[in-house]
Amino acid sequence: MARTVLTWWIPLLILQSFLLAIAFGSNEVEEEFSESLLLKPLPDRKVLAHFHFENRAPPSNSHGRHHHLFPKAISQLVKKFRVKEMELSFTQGRWNHEHWGGYDSLSSMNAKPVGVELWAVFDVPHAQVDTSWKNLTHALSGLFCASINFLESSTSYAAPTWGFGRSADKLRYGSLPREAVCTENLTPWLKLLPCRDKDGISALMNRPSVYRGFYHSQRLHLSMVDSGEEGLGSGMLLEQSLTVVLQPDTVYDGKDLQPSWSLSSLFGRKVVGKCVLAKSSNVYLQMEGLAHQALWKNEEFELSTQPDRTLRESSSFLYIFNIDKSSDSEPFDLGLTWKLPSKWSCKQAPLHASRFLMGSGNERGAIAILLKATESQDKLSGRDLTNGGRCTIRANVFQIFPWYVKVYYHTLQIFVDQQQNTSSEVLKKINVSPSTDKMSSGMMEMMLELPCEVKSAAISIEYDKGFLHIDEYPPDANQGFDIPSALISFPDHHANLDFKEELSTLPLLSKFKEKSLVRSYTEVLLVPLTTPDFSMPYNVITITCTVFALYFGSLLNALRRRIGEEERFLKSKGKKTGGLKQLLSRFTAKIRGRPVESPSSESTAAAQSSVLSSKLLFKIILVAGVAAAWQYFSTDK
Amino acid sequence: MTKDDGETVEEQKKKPCRFWIWALSSVLFRLILISFAGNLNLSSRPEVSTPLTSIRRLAEGYWLKQASMSPYAGSMYHGSPLLLSLLGLLTVQRIKGQPSHLFCSLVFVIADILSAILLRGIGHKLQMAYGLNARLLGLLKSPTDKEGILPSGDIAALVYLWNPFTIVCCVGLSTSPIENMAVILALNGAVTRRVPLAAFGLVMATHLSLYPAILTIPVIFLLGYGLDAPPLKLFLQTRNVESDNRSSTSSASKQAKSKPTAQLPFLWRTVVHFVFWVLVWSLCVLVLCGLSLSKHGGLEEMFKRTYGFILSIEDLSPNIGVFWYFFAEVFDFFRSFFLIVFHVNILFMLLPLAIRLKHRPCFLAFIYLAISSLLKSYPSVGDSALYLSLWALFVNELADMKFSFFLFCGYLGVSLLSPVMHNLWIWRGTGNANFYFGNAIGYACFQIVFVVESVSAMLNHDRALKKCNPNHQKVKN
């Protein structure tokens, strides 16, 4: 019987698989995966490595739930929570805007605040956005082994309107500055790649060398690509990038040369071939601000491998290497050897932003954001000359305040070149949503319009420190609390790499060719808050209750007391002496070995005390008896 | 004889003169302090400004309102919207070279002076009533004999004006002078039998800080029974003795004794009048608040953010009370239980006090205020200033109060130690929260002793009246 069923079923299954294959074959657009690595020597003797993986799922309905290359976990996430766009980044270390650049696509996209940052745009009705956000944080938390679920509580996220640089009304933004980022976050991130870290460029990610760097930021950006066709769903584009800044090991040779390096010296590994599933697999080397020719061997430096292509940008050269040819026997190991000392500087954002705390003590303080003009500002082309010929720089400030930093918005002061300015001159737009205690975090969005010749601008705002319930403090309460980074963006300034060539086959470069908003994050601030005594709850409860019992009892006693009655009561007490009491007093006297005190009217006080003590004795015996009986019966059962 | 009369008249002329000199000098003292207000930094002291009375929070509320947001957005402002529209504008007015919030300080100084004058009015009435009662009981022989009766009105007004707590509150820009003024206005209205005024004061005080709502009982007693007097029994005894003297038969006196004592007439009409005015003023206040908050959540939002904030003790920043630390430490599970227990503690005492002290409604009001300042969720020294000056109204009755020196030293010690402990904990970080909490516990204990001793001193005074009464002895015999 079973055999006959099998003989019927097997051909059917084979037929079905054929049908499926035909169905797939008919679909022309396929899922694409590409990998690339950008290397860039930095002016301060460091090297930047930017891994970029792009995974594109075309818009289609026929796939159903199945994907060839696109990670299923992410597509399920998108379908379930209807995420329109999302970015998650894990960062350790701080991006050095002065030396590593602040006005290029790389820094504006990949310089992220310390810890975890997550923002997402949803495609759900307004009322459901918060629920979707909460569910998304939980899902991501599980997916990336991080405490992203802490962003669930309404005190840790905000809904920016325009200050974030993306005007979407269903946007939620949250960040966790204290999250420690390590290899347990990288492993699940790598699992989303089709070749993981087994093959191709990602095989370079040797954990010790990646985490030894000065800065590393792993980023996951997900966006929906509208197909534009009716009936077809939207496609998904998943970009994963890892940016690391490494210090090549060098021996100082006294010639002030930039350090020479190779892939194997930076990562301890070589590329032994591309990921076979990748459509394109390239390594780029960007040499910035040098006055040399586009030769790969010149008097200044020398590359170990000949580039396949050289591109010229306005201020830099790009050498493109294809790693298709590399194999186990002939691994790809790009090296750069400097011959002459050289110096260059990176393009800077128009204003350099930093943030600090003012004041001392644990009661109040002030937060100040300082914007300093950078040297390269004059060379900038992105000025806005619309304002009646007056040259101005516009800057948006976006800042989230946790509720325990109680900000007084009326104390906002703006100083331009150390001169206090009335708000309306400089402050063009402000949007504030104040924080509610234990309910929601505060948010401030400001648009400043500063004159171009400004040297420095400072914003200061005062705050009171909140006092928390003992359960609300983290285990290391005395370490302090973090205020998330402020985001400064320059809406008139856009960064891009200016190529003349058509670059649709090179995903990373076509991405850099698009204009991106210049933005920079400030430092995370550590605010120490006062702590109560964590060992005191019982003491405080008992002492306070005792004081109130004292109040209630003594006041009621004062009200109740009637002196005349008391006198009469005492008199009547003095007259009568019960037989039992006499017996007891005799008994106690015998125990004490003293003669019986005759209860006389003179020593009423003594009699009273003996009566009191006998009463007390009786009560104690009674209570003890009851307790013993209770103990006996309760243990019996 | 005529010479003596002239002297007394001169003395009487001199006394108000002296009072006004002292009052003016206190105002001058305040103005001098205000010019140094920036250096004193009193407005950020936790003893002076609570989340309810802080001027900075009021300024924040005004800013939010100007930015077309609800003044209650965020957890900053928790006061009345009417106060916001009155004082809000003054917080942003500035004169160059002068301390900020100068206009607000001037408003608070004026409020203090008005309170002192109103207190003086109350004091005069009480003093007259005291003299009258003493004469009726036969303690004072001639109607002009005023020996031993202290001018309680002047004393109370000066105590209010020169109390360091009041001065600190006034200079430290807390809104409690205005709250205190509303309370004193209610009492003054009730004492002088201006019913609309009493109702207005009570409604405003309740609107501003909720706790004066319990003053409804003493105000109704004041309007219904009249001013403070010794217990009715004493007067009846006096009358009985007089009748005894006339008839001089023991049986008659026995009959009179057993006869149910005549009830003091309760003026229902005045009280109904008062209730009517309370309703009218509450309606006015609610309508005005509703209008000013019509765009931002309306009255429901107001009640939630003012009364709700007071009752639920959300803000755990330190103050001189004990609740902030208690609710910062207590387990969440018991939070609502203890909230109920502590609020009910005020309510539980109302009835016993009202029964025992119904013949002294002004004193009852003083005790209620002292209790509410003890059990308030966000107490400040402004509340103590109010009840201490009301206490001075009863200097005649409370002359032989026990522990007064001990209490004086206690209040002094606490007010000196409190800034020290706060500094050690918050600014230096060498002490911890227990230091400041211990201080607050000490303060609570002193207040308790103060309340209990005042009550028992007043009851003892009534007893003493009974004993001193020459007729009393006769009745006994």
Side-chain angles (χ1 to χ4, degrees), chain B residues 242-260:
Chain B
E242 277 163 12
S243 62
D244 280 4
N245 288 348
R246 251 174 266 139
S247 59
S248 69
T249 50
S250 59
S251 62
S253 83
K254 258 182 194 168
Q255 252 184 9
K257 248 178 149 181
S258 59
K259 198 170 69 183

Side-chain angles (χ1 to χ4, degrees), chain B residues 276-346:
Chain B
F276 166 74
W277 274 106
V278 164
L279 290 178
V280 168
W281 288 121
S282 324
L283 199 70
C284 286
V285 166
L286 288 181
V287 166
L288 282 175
C289 290
L291 282 179
S292 70
L293 289 174
S294 54
K295 285 176 216 151
H296 323 288
L299 287 177
E300 195 191 341
E301 176 82 355
M302 182 189 87
F303 283 123
K304 215 172 83 190
R305 292 313 188 98
T306 53
Y307 292 171
F309 180 76
I310 293 172
L311 292 177
S312 63
I313 316 187
E314 288 158 17
D315 197 303
L316 301 176
S317 54
N319 53 42
I320 47 168
V322 290
F323 291 154
W324 60 275
Y325 202 47
F326 188 87
F327 285 105
E329 295 266 355
V330 82
F331 310 102
D332 253 352
F333 180 73
F334 292 114
R335 192 184 154 85
S336 26
F337 167 72
F338 278 112
L339 270 180
I340 294 168
V341 166
F342 287 145
H343 290 307
V344 160
N345 238 328
I346 301 181

Side-chain angles (χ1 to χ4, degrees), chain A residues 465-519:
Chain A
K465 294 182 185 182
F467 291 82
L468 281 69
H469 185 262
I470 46 169
D471 292 346
E472 288 162 346
Y473 286 94
D476 50 349
N478 287 304
Q479 191 194 331
F481 290 75
D482 292 300
I483 302 181
S485 300
L487 172 66
I488 319 285
S489 53
F490 301 94
D492 296 333
H493 298 79
H494 294 276
N496 68 329
L497 287 182
D498 193 13
F499 298 113
K500 298 198 173 50
E501 292 87 349
E502 182 57 40
L503 297 161
S504 57
T505 51
L506 305 170
L508 178 63
L509 294 190
S510 58
K511 177 128 194 81
F512 282 166
K513 206 177 166 184
E514 290 165 19
K515 285 195 167 183
S516 64
L517 194 66
V518 175
R519 45 167 72 191

Side-chain angles (χ1 to χ4, degrees), chain B residues 28-43 97-100 102 105 171-173:
Chain B
L28 269 180
F29 185 60
R30 261 158 240 247
L31 292 178
I32 290 167
L33 281 184
I34 283 167
S35 60
F36 294 118
N39 304 333
L40 292 172
N41 218 352
L42 282 170
S43 56
Q98 296 294 325
S100 56
L102 180 72
S105 323
V171 179
L173 292 166

